[in-house]
Amino acid sequence: MSSDPAASPGSEPGEKPERRSSMPRTGWMWSSAAVVIASVLCGALPAAAEKLEDQLVIATTGGLMGNTLAKYFYDPFNKAKNVEIVPVAIEVPDQWARAKAMQRTGKVEFDIVTATGPDLVGRTDMLEKIDCAKLPSVQKFGVSDACQPYGVARTTGGMLITYNTETFKGKTPKTWADFWDVKQFPGPRGLPDTGDSDWWVPVAALLADGVKPEQLFPLDINRAYKKLDEIRPNVAVWWKTGDQVQQIMRSREVVMAMSYSGRALAVVKEGVPVAMSWDQAIRDTGYMAVLKGAPDPKAAMAYLDFFYASSDAHVPFMRAVNYATASKSAIELLKPEERNLYATSPENYEKLVKPDFAWIGEHRNELRERWMAWLTR
């Protein structure tokens, strides 16, 4: 996911742990070797552990996401494979900047990085290609497109409509056309000025103008901004962070907002009178990708597959971070009323608008320049 804490950037600050540079790699190897020897002596060496590197460095956001990943995936992977995971809490833009510097100097430290859909298209020169056929757990337990040539889905949500249920007690807004309909659904709106808003918001505008999801790309930018001109006087808040969009829903500063689904679900769980509409939600998936030149490639691939191996771990993980993983087996463990709160429930998944990331990647500068020019005029 691209810009929410449960996806990629924008997370709560996390303390960055000591990196490899704080200890020579030989030090890590000797330390890990001692653990392996001890395990052998105890007769408890996990299967195939000797074939993997002794550590794995994962760059992801800190805070809730980092802590929850550690509890349900990092620690179990360490116990199962005898590979120590070294997490690096870092915002995604900073992650890519550091990764570029590492690859330029030939001193790569990150193994797995957090990627968005556009990253899987626009940064292929920085990423290792993934042979999905060699990830049996992903193939067996993941949704059909969980594995992509340059990344494996971690969390999936949607940029969707969140509305106040006390304001709209009868007919409720469902689609982006309803979001734009200020006569039938009056009140102040909230839209994002963060992350990928340079294409999220124009996509919503085109959907509101009657464009079918399968006909969105290539985006008709002029048409999108003509439609955006209509809603602009009714936008009370251009929110910047996930915390802010939650706050404006709690305070009723807006009656309706485009929101990260995970942030909306968190507010729903608080008992605030809001609801989500998954109709025409814009798919937002965060991926795990392996950096080209990663020093621990075998452990990295093993972790990607391990992530999908235990359906039982996915359920509490999803409940904690408020986002679905792409595990189809895990979503089936939930009761229908809870399942439908997540993007990958069969009912919701088919409603998601799937972006054309190749087109977005090719036109990213144009999209960003047009967005900034319109927003600041």
Side-chain angles (χ1 to χ4, degrees), residues 132-203:
C132 296
K134 294 183 178 180
L135 302 177
S137 295
V138 181
Q139 295 292 307
K140 182 177 181 179
F141 300 115
V143 297
S144 60
D145 54 358
C147 187
Q148 297 293 314
Y150 290 93
V152 172
R154 186 193 67 189
T155 43
T156 293
M159 297 303 297
L160 46 64
I161 296 170
T162 306
Y163 60 91
N164 187 285
T165 57
E166 292 184 348
T167 301
F168 305 113
K169 294 181 179 179
K171 187 175 182 180
T172 59
K174 297 294 183 184
T175 66
W176 294 111
D178 294 337
F179 190 95
W180 256 253
D181 189 347
V182 295
K183 292 183 178 179
Q184 187 171 195
F185 303 104
R189 268 63 167 162
L191 283 173
D193 176 26
T194 184
D196 294 326
S197 55
D198 51 14
W199 64 266
W200 284 336
V201 180
V203 162

Side-chain angles (χ1 to χ4, degrees), residues 214-281:
E214 62 273 17
Q215 297 175 348
L216 279 168
F217 294 91
L219 296 181
D220 186 336
I221 300 298
N222 291 331
R223 181 176 176 179
Y225 278 92
K226 184 177 179 180
K227 192 68 176 177
L228 279 169
D229 286 337
E230 296 178 13
I231 196 67
R232 184 168 186 160
N234 299 281
V235 179
V237 180
W238 295 97
W239 55 265
K240 299 283 190 181
T241 67
D243 286 341
Q244 186 182 8
V245 73
Q246 286 183 255
Q247 183 55 37
I248 63 175
M249 286 187 282
R250 293 189 195 103
S251 65
R252 305 192 188 189
E253 193 172 349
V254 299
V255 298
M256 203 183 306
M258 175 188 279
S259 173
Y260 305 119
S261 58
R263 292 294 187 162
L265 179 53
V267 176
V268 169
K269 288 181 176 180
E270 292 173 8
V272 177
V274 299
M276 303 179 290
S277 173
W278 286 98
D279 292 347
Q280 299 181 330

Side-chain angles (χ1 to χ4, degrees), residues 25-41 45 50 52-55 82 84:
R25 187 162 178 81
T26 52
W28 283 102
M29 295 175 66
W30 280 112
S31 177
S32 183
V35 175
V36 172
I37 293 170
S39 299
V40 171
L41 293 175
L45 183 64
E50 292 174 300
L52 304 180
E53 298 88 356
D54 60 286
Q55 67 168 331
N82 199 34
E84 180 179 6

